[in-house]
Amino acid sequence: MKAETLLNVMTPLETIPANNMFNKVNVASEFWSSTRGVTMDALIKDIANEGREAVVTGIEVFGDLEIGKTKQNTEAIEPPAVIRLAELGVFKDDKFVGWLTERESTGYNKITNQVKGAVVDITCPDGGTMAIQLKKSNVEIKGKVKNGTPEVDLTLHSKGAIVEVNCDLDLTKPETISMLEKLYKKEIKKILETSISTLQEDFQSDIYGFGEAIRRDDPKSWKKLKGDWDQEFSNLQVNIKVDAKILQTGTISNSKK
């Protein structure tokens, strides 16, 4: 829909819908890893930059749009129409080319160091699930060119805490924590791989700034590669390394027997 239509939806707590959206983006950026706030100057910079494409936050209206335009929408406990955030939209040059899924958006935010709060669900060995809350995350990206072929080394350092357990595990044993760290590391790596492969295969849009890393680390080679970077990005080898640690278990006793 047009932005004009979206801005006409009445919201219960904010008389100006734009303020409602602004506040939602700010809160979601802190606690929901599949979205982020994008300012106008950052958008323009990413469109203009060599070696990096732009993304925008998706916003949609859920419910009855016609009632949403009226005061009636603010008079119910559950409004007939609500504004909610969607996943991230991908640009190529200055044109929109498609949407990422929630999982792919999370991968993008992890790679670009935009994650401030997130929970990763992992499957326990004997069934059930466990939730690990991200406490700290940092990514290092280094570009290189070998025999004319570009590569990127991506290293993610993550520290988390166990916040929910729905399986039978003894969290007081060091070997249990070591095993969970391996599962945590594996799940994060899968999220990154899924996000990267979608951008390479479906959009050919380098929103991660891998080209920017090549330009920064090997300017001479970048001059030869930049003219055909869309194709180079599609075939780019990304070497992913994840260093994941679990620092807290939340409790020293096991309630499930």
Side-chain angles (χ1 to χ4, degrees):
M1 64 179 64
K2 292 182 178 180
E4 178 185 4
T5 305
L6 187 69
L7 291 169
N8 279 329
V9 176
M10 304 290 289
T11 53
L13 300 179
E14 292 282 355
T15 55
I16 302 175
N19 288 345
N20 176 273
M21 285 181 268
F22 181 80
N23 291 332
K24 282 185 176 181
V25 171
N26 277 346
V27 173
S29 296
E30 289 284 340
F31 301 106
W32 188 31
S33 60
S34 63
T35 192
R36 58 169 292 198
V38 181
T39 60
M40 182 63 74
D41 58 336
L43 178 64
I44 293 171
K45 181 181 177 182
D46 286 346
I47 290 175
N49 269 359
E50 287 185 349
R52 181 188 292 271
E53 301 291 356
V55 298
V56 293
T57 301
I59 303 176
E60 62 184 352
V61 176
F62 181 75
D64 192 321
L65 180 58
E66 292 306 312
I67 296 179
K69 297 177 182 179
T70 68
K71 187 179 179 182
Q72 183 182 343
N73 201 54
T74 67
E75 297 172 343
I77 294 175
E78 294 186 9
V82 295
I83 296 172
R84 67 181 186 185
L85 303 182
E87 285 73 39
L88 297 175
V90 178
F91 275 63
K92 189 172 181 180
D93 295 325
D94 59 349
K95 293 180 174 59
F96 171 79
V97 293
W99 296 103
L100 299 182
T101 65
E102 182 174 342
R103 187 177 179 86
E104 292 160 355
S105 297
T106 297
Y108 163 77
N109 280 328
K110 285 183 181 294
I111 292 170
T112 55
N113 280 321
Q114 298 294 330
V115 174
K116 298 178 182 178
V119 173
V120 175
D121 293 320
I122 61 175
T123 302
C124 300
D126 297 324
T129 60
M130 176 176 291
I132 300 177
Q133 184 178 31
L134 180 73
K135 294 294 184 180
K136 189 176 182 180
S137 179
N138 182 62
V139 171
E140 300 171 5
I141 299 176
K142 295 183 178 180
K144 57 186 177 183
V145 179
K146 290 184 177 180
N147 301 319
T149 302
E151 288 184 23
V152 166
D153 293 331
L154 189 158
T155 304
L156 184 146
H157 303 278
S158 181
K159 296 178 180 179
I162 297 171
V163 292
E164 184 178 325
V165 180
N166 295 305
C167 51
D168 194 3
L169 290 173
D170 188 350
L171 299 179
T172 64
K173 294 182 177 180
E175 56 266 32
T176 301
I177 301 301
S178 179
M179 178 269 293
L180 291 174
E181 285 179 341
K182 291 179 181 178
L183 294 176
Y184 182 37
K185 183 186 302 183
K186 184 178 180 181
E187 181 61 22
I188 291 176
K189 188 173 182 180
K190 282 170 59 179
I191 292 173
L192 303 185
E193 289 173 341
T194 298
S195 184
I196 292 170
S197 64
T198 296
L199 268 296
Q200 288 182 316
E201 296 168 12
D202 297 345
F203 299 127
Q204 294 83 48
S205 177
D206 181 8
I207 61 176
Y208 310 104
F210 292 155
E212 201 171 56
I214 299 289
R215 177 172 62 86
R216 180 183 63 240
D217 296 332
D218 192 342
K220 187 175 180 181
S221 296
W222 172 251
K223 290 180 180 179
K224 299 176 182 178
L225 295 168
K226 66 179 183 179
D228 195 29
W229 183 242
D230 287 349
Q231 186 61 40
E232 294 287 356
F233 170 72
S234 296
N235 300 314
L236 182 68
Q237 180 176 326
V238 182
N239 307 308
I240 300 174
K241 179 181 178 182
V242 177
D243 174 31
K245 302 292 184 184
I246 296 176
L247 302 181
Q248 299 170 322
T249 60
T251 178
I252 59 173
S253 61
N254 297 299
S255 58
K256 188 177 187 300
K257 298 293 185 183

